Amino acid sequence: EDQVTQSPEALRLQEGESSSLNCSYTVSGLRGLFWYRQDPGKGPEFLFTLYSAGEEKEKERLKATLTKKESFLHITAPKPEDSATYLCAVRPSGGYQKVTFGTGTKLQVIP
Amino acid sequence: SQTIHQWPATLVQPVGSPLSLECTVEGTSNPNLYWYRQAAGRGLQLLFYSVGIGQISSEVPQNLSASRPQDRQFILSSKKLLLSDSSFYLCAWTVGGGDGYTFGSGTRLTVV
């Protein structure tokens, strides 16, 4: 069974204090790993897809990286508007419908 | 551009009452459609998915059902709600087996 574990569950940062969120996964052949941002009471918003180990993608202050066992979401010099829950998910190569989500990391950036 | 509409945003229903949540997608054809449920502190749980009109796959056999009467319309239903059905319900779509989902804004369902 595919599994996704995200850590930490919650993270509190001062504005400008860079950090990383972790997503550890086990999957029977990785078709894609996804990162989403979710604001309270709203649906998740797609950020990145990573397909193979060594791949990196960036968007503003966010940078996602991928290894064979985990993915990191690096947040550089965060701002209060980056406060949200960040979700990680994996899709196996054999069943493209079977996406497994982690429980997320709730990020709070203090001004 | 592609958009997804989900309504209502919030819903309070008594135990034993029926449920109908609707999701429509614009700007694309033959999308794969999904219903997810998200409980507090838990990951998103896939309930149903559909790859075409009238085709429904169930991941969680409970008192919920789904239907796809039109290409871009996906409906989540229940004949009799339970207290345990209280949750945040999300509709999503993709095209083919490609990149990540596009989610709707969600429906907060409270069963009282």
Side-chain angles (χ1 to χ4, degrees):
Chain A
E1 184 177 328
D2 301 334
Q3 288 190 331
V4 176
T5 303
Q6 292 188 246
S7 62
E9 290 185 6
L11 182 62
R12 190 171 176 172
L13 300 173
Q14 291 291 324
E15 184 173 1
E17 179 187 3
S18 301
S19 188
S20 296
L21 313 182
N22 178 262
C23 171
S24 298
Y25 65 91
T26 55
V27 64
S28 52
L30 182 67
R31 169 67 174 86
L33 183 141
F34 311 105
W35 282 99
Y36 293 86
R37 170 195 169 121
Q38 186 174 23
D39 293 307
K42 297 188 177 181
E45 174 189 349
F46 172 73
L47 293 173
F48 305 109
T49 304
L50 301 168
Y51 294 102
S52 57
E55 188 175 1
E56 299 181 352
K57 288 193 176 175
E58 291 187 65
K59 180 179 181 179
E60 296 181 358
R61 295 176 292 281
L62 301 176
K63 178 180 178 181
T65 62
L66 180 65
T67 72
K68 290 186 177 180
K69 296 291 185 183
E70 56 192 351
S71 177
F72 292 93
L73 185 65
H74 308 277
I75 303 176
T76 302
K79 298 182 178 181
E81 54 262 40
D82 295 322
S83 298
T85 296
Y86 290 86
L87 301 173
C88 174
V90 295
R91 171 179 287 160
S93 55
Y96 70 95
Q97 310 291 359
K98 309 285 186 177
V99 176
T100 300
F101 282 82
T103 55
T105 294
K106 185 175 182 179
L107 174 67
Q108 184 182 17
V109 182
I110 310 299
Chain B
S1 64
Q2 299 113 347
T3 57
I4 181 169
H5 302 281
Q6 187 180 345
W7 67 92
T10 60
L11 191 60
V12 179
Q13 292 283 95
V15 169
S17 65
L19 173 73
S20 181
L21 303 180
E22 188 166 343
C23 171
T24 59
V25 179
E26 294 180 359
T28 187
S29 296
N30 196 30
N32 295 333
L33 297 173
Y34 307 82
W35 279 112
Y36 275 86
R37 178 167 63 192
Q38 186 178 34
R42 301 181 65 180
L44 275 73
Q45 179 187 32
L46 178 62
L47 300 176
F48 302 94
Y49 67 89
S50 171
V51 298
I53 296 174
Q55 190 280 333
I56 306 293
S57 294
S58 174
E59 292 295 306
V60 184
Q62 295 180 344
N63 66 320
L64 299 172
S65 62
S67 61
R68 186 171 177 173
Q70 300 179 40
D71 181 44
R72 288 170 287 181
Q73 184 184 29
F74 205 23
I75 297 171
L76 181 68
S77 303
S78 174
K79 292 182 178 179
K80 289 186 177 181
L81 285 169
L82 307 173
L83 286 174
S84 58
D85 291 323
S86 294
S87 193
F88 190 50
Y89 290 86
L90 290 156
C91 180
W93 71 273
T94 62
V95 175
D99 277 355
Y101 299 144
T102 299
F103 283 91
S105 54
T107 295
R108 171 69 60 190
L109 172 66
T110 303
V111 182
V112 297

